[in-house]
Amino acid sequence: TLNGQIFQWGLVMIYDAGEVFGIMQFQEEDEERVNGGNKEKKDHPFQVIRCKVVVTRESGLQVSEPNSIFLVDHAWTYRVDHARQQLEQIPGLLPRMAALMGVDFHGEVPDSDTVEVVIEHMWKYNLTYQLSQGSAEEKVPVWYIMDEFGAQVQHSDQPSCGMAPFFYIQGQLAYTVLWPLQDLQRGDEVTRDYAYGETNTLVRKCRLLPWIPADLEVNSATNEPLDSYYEAIAHGNKEQLPVEIQPYTVPKDKMLKVYSEMSQVANNLTHPRFQLTEDEDEADIIWSYNHIKDYRKLSKERPQVMVNQFPCESIVTVKDCLAAVARRVKGGPSPDWLPETFNLQTELPQFIRHYQLRQQRGEDNHWICKPWNLARGLDTHITNNLDYIIRQRESTPKVVCKYIEDPVLFHREEVGMVKFDIRYMLMLRSVQPLRLYAYNVFWLRFANRPFSLDHFDDYQKHFTVMNYAEGVELKQVHYDEFIPMFEKQYPKCPWKEVEVTAWPWPAHWEQTISHSCVLVKLKQTKIT
């Protein structure tokens, strides 16, 4: 830990924090402590001795002093999917983290039990930041644990100091900045607010649960979001809604000009009724890769043009909105096809209460946390650790869904029983009247390792999207080969019955499974 001053030309570092602060050990008086709703006795791997940071300098620490700003080093910076591997392979990391967390560990060789304990309890110590530039992978939140000094700064609702991550661009290094919020005398404790910025009393209590046990007197039922919630989303998307237009019927003999930036369209659209054009203004159909924003202009100037998107489609393509809309349609709880889902930004208390009730009933409590608007398993976490889930709220906005602990599995001869999923391609032709087209040639995706309820950071065990990572096997089976294989493994489940169950079309829906649909040519593209 060091003290420094920031200048235009760089950072001057003076290693003098040891002259100002000290770490004091103290002993807890409670016979037991509570963690996640379960009482833990003192023989748990965590030690009884605790630490806190105090001011040791005779003159204390003054807010007005220009040098009263300190940089705290980070002992471990990682992304969650790499944590286990780093603890097992980086020399000295596991012993250091075990000592920092008070885990009883003797020796230098990592053992799986200690790794599990550190992974379980690191959520009481870590913090997070996110890069604003780069690829989607590079923007995935980074988690870090401060050094032995910073990690011992305890919580207070009236903190004596502030702490925040600081990225030093010239050195490409991240630190945590510490500064006093009030004048401190010798012996005063250095504290920070673990739920900094949270003003809602109930949510604050929830966010502090990893450290401060509390009973939540709330109902686990979720309510329909207010209209203002959706209005804020529409405002954030900056979409200009269309004016009302009259339905348009395309003449059967009309040649349709198609404009698209997508190579899949240009390379595969061969039907004689369609003609590709590079002039977007003359197109009858715009099949755009990027989000269309100005529907108002299109509806006024070109009301007959057809586009591959709908205004406000994020209401069903973004996870938090999809869950809310699904509950609205059901008229209460989630429909049967959607696992129990909570928005961690707006429904954290309801989720925690639901989690605690399941715990009391002895029900499975594995959950999957997903970013609202990312795909490919990026920044997606599976766990039954309540602390882990609560802390996810501090990174990107997420929903938490009940993880399916007993999925239908598929036997891969060379691997065993693995997870798999099926992607159907749909085309929404219109909303009023509702016309939805489905293509009965589906796309299969398989996990590469046998399924089990452990090692949830093992991507190839718990996820099925393998076509984005280098050096990872992509298992492909054509749909007409898969069906007899599935029926052989599950003889009581004929595929036709499975498909009918999966597509319970209401009588007033128009279901068309057509090999002449434009979507057929796009079956390998990523369409949500």
Side-chain angles (χ1 to χ4, degrees):
T1 303
L2 46 100
N3 171 260
Q5 297 177 358
I6 301 172
F7 297 95
Q8 284 186 333
W9 50 266
L11 185 72
V12 175
M13 299 181 180
I14 306 171
Y15 294 84
D16 67 346
E19 302 173 7
V20 182
F21 304 107
I23 299 177
M24 178 184 293
Q25 292 185 334
F26 66 97
Q27 185 171 358
E28 289 183 327
E29 296 180 358
D30 294 339
E31 292 297 324
E32 298 176 328
R33 74 177 170 276
V34 179
N35 177 25
N38 296 323
K39 289 186 177 180
E40 296 184 18
K41 295 185 178 180
K42 289 289 186 177
D43 58 359
H44 191 273
F46 273 92
Q47 297 173 358
V48 176
I49 300 298
R50 296 297 185 190
C51 296
K52 61 182 179 181
V53 176
V54 296
V55 176
T56 57
R57 189 168 61 184
E58 287 290 342
S59 61
L61 187 63
Q62 287 73 44
V63 174
S64 60
E65 173 60 42
N67 288 337
S68 294
I69 179 171
F70 300 84
L71 299 183
V72 181
D73 199 7
H74 296 171
W76 183 27
T77 301
Y78 62 95
R79 287 194 168 92
V80 176
D81 53 344
H82 298 151
R84 183 185 304 277
Q85 180 183 13
Q86 292 178 3
L87 287 169
E88 293 174 343
Q89 298 182 5
I90 297 178
L93 179 61
L94 181 61
R96 184 179 184 184
M97 289 298 105
L100 185 148
M101 299 179 189
V103 175
D104 188 13
F105 174 64
H106 302 286
E108 295 296 328
V109 179
D111 67 272
S112 58
D113 290 341
T114 305
V115 170
E116 287 294 340
V117 173
V118 169
I119 288 177
E120 178 184 356
H121 290 90
M122 66 187 184
W123 298 101
K124 296 182 185 296
Y125 292 85
N126 56 15
L127 296 160
T128 185
Y129 63 85
Q130 182 182 12
L131 301 179
S132 61
Q133 297 180 341
S135 65
E137 288 82 0
E138 292 169 332
K139 292 180 181 178
V140 169
V142 172
W143 292 86
Y144 66 93
I145 293 179
M146 292 185 286
D147 65 11
E148 286 75 3
F149 172 88
Q152 303 303 340
V153 176
Q154 302 298 318
H155 166 76
S156 173
D157 290 332
Q158 290 81 39
S160 61
C161 292
M163 300 183 77
F166 167 78
F167 194 81
Y168 180 42
I169 296 178
Q170 290 188 4
Q172 291 294 296
L173 293 172
Y175 300 96
T176 290
V177 179
L178 182 151
W179 68 97
L181 299 175
Q182 62 194 49
D183 290 344
L184 299 175
Q185 306 301 315
R186 185 176 184 271
D188 287 347
E189 184 178 2
V190 174
T191 58
R192 67 182 178 92
D193 185 353
Y194 287 3
Y196 174 77
E198 186 59 67
T199 57
N200 182 293
T201 303
L202 178 58
V203 175
R204 182 177 179 83
K205 182 185 293 187
C206 292
R207 288 184 56 187
L208 290 173
L209 275 179
W211 306 277
I212 305 175
D215 294 326
L216 297 183
E217 299 298 331
V218 298
N219 193 319
S220 63
T222 53
N223 298 318
E224 170 72 18
L226 300 175
D227 289 347
S228 58
Y229 182 78
Y230 300 106
E231 291 168 359
I233 293 172
H235 179 74
N237 290 339
K238 299 180 179 179
E239 288 186 8
Q240 298 294 319
L241 299 182
V243 299
E244 185 174 353
I245 61 174
Q246 295 299 316
Y248 172 64
T249 301
V250 180
K252 293 184 178 180
D253 58 349
K254 179 178 175 60
M255 172 70 72
L256 297 172
K257 293 184 178 181
V258 180
Y259 172 84
S260 179
E261 315 101 324
M262 298 175 64
S263 59
Q264 292 93 336
V265 175
N267 297 334
N268 296 287
L269 187 58
T270 58
H271 194 284
R273 192 176 176 187
F274 301 104
Q275 177 184 349
L276 294 170
T277 179
E278 295 183 358
D279 185 355
E280 183 176 354
D281 292 335
E282 71 173 12
D284 301 295
I285 299 173
I286 299 175
W287 195 282
S288 179
Y289 178 81
N290 297 315
H291 288 294
I292 296 172
K293 300 292 185 181
D294 198 348
Y295 292 98
R296 183 174 297 274
K297 180 179 179 180
L298 282 173
S299 66
K300 287 182 176 179
E301 299 179 1
R302 305 169 63 192
Q304 296 178 349
V305 72
M306 291 177 282
V307 297
N308 66 327
Q309 299 170 35
F310 277 83
C312 300
E313 66 177 24
S314 60
I315 295 300
V316 292
T317 61
V318 179
K319 299 178 185 70
D320 62 313
C321 295
L322 174 63
V325 169
R327 289 200 297 261
R328 177 197 291 177
V329 173
K330 179 72 177 295
S334 298
D336 295 338
W337 56 267
L338 180 68
E340 294 162 306
T341 302
F342 296 85
N343 185 333
L344 286 182
Q345 299 302 116
T346 61
E347 299 166 348
L348 180 63
Q350 290 82 2
F351 163 71
I352 292 175
R353 182 57 180 158
H354 185 78
Y355 177 100
Q356 292 173 338
L357 291 173
R358 292 185 66 93
Q359 196 88 330
Q360 294 170 11
R361 296 192 294 260
E363 298 173 350
D364 180 83
N365 236 348
H366 288 90
W367 296 79
I368 181 168
C369 299
K370 307 175 183 180
W372 286 356
N373 201 18
L374 280 179
R376 297 155 38 193
L378 294 174
D379 195 22
T380 300
H381 309 258
I382 305 168
T383 183
N384 62 354
N385 184 336
L386 182 58
D387 293 351
Y388 185 168
I389 300 173
I390 292 173
R391 298 299 306 282
Q392 287 303 307
R393 193 179 185 277
E394 299 172 32
S395 61
T396 56
K398 290 182 175 68
V399 297
V400 58
C401 309
K402 179 64 185 70
Y403 188 58
I404 300 176
E405 74 276 9
D406 57 347
V408 175
L409 302 175
F410 183 81
H411 184 264
R412 288 179 57 178
E413 292 185 0
E414 68 281 18
V415 177
M417 301 297 287
V418 301
K419 289 181 64 174
F420 71 101
D421 71 41
I422 302 171
R423 169 165 286 190
Y424 279 88
M425 299 300 159
L426 305 178
M427 177 181 282
L428 181 61
R429 180 63 181 86
S430 67
V431 176
Q432 291 181 340
L434 184 60
R435 296 178 64 199
L436 188 66
Y437 295 77
Y439 183 42
N440 61 351
V441 176
F442 48 84
W443 182 15
L444 292 150
R445 303 183 297 189
F446 300 87
N448 287 336
R449 293 174 184 154
F451 174 79
S452 58
L453 275 177
D454 56 19
H455 285 199
F456 298 103
D457 49 359
D458 186 343
Y459 184 91
Q460 296 191 64
K461 173 184 288 191
H462 292 280
F463 295 87
T464 58
V465 182
M466 302 297 169
N467 52 314
Y468 292 94
E470 294 183 5
V472 175
E473 179 188 2
L474 173 62
K475 172 69 173 179
Q476 292 184 303
V477 177
H478 202 262
Y479 84 103
D480 57 356
E481 298 174 349
F482 168 81
I483 293 175
M485 297 168 68
F486 178 88
E487 292 181 333
K488 183 177 180 181
Q489 294 184 27
Y490 296 95
K492 295 183 179 180
C493 301
W495 187 253
K496 287 186 177 181
E497 294 183 11
V498 173
E499 205 162 40
V500 168
T501 303
W503 297 105
W505 301 96
H508 62 281
W509 284 27
E510 177 181 342
Q511 177 190 11
T512 302
I513 300 177
S514 170
H515 285 257
S516 63
C517 179
V518 175
L519 193 57
V520 172
K521 300 297 184 181
L522 303 174
K523 64 178 182 294
Q524 293 301 322
T525 65
K526 186 167 184 58
I527 303 175
T528 301

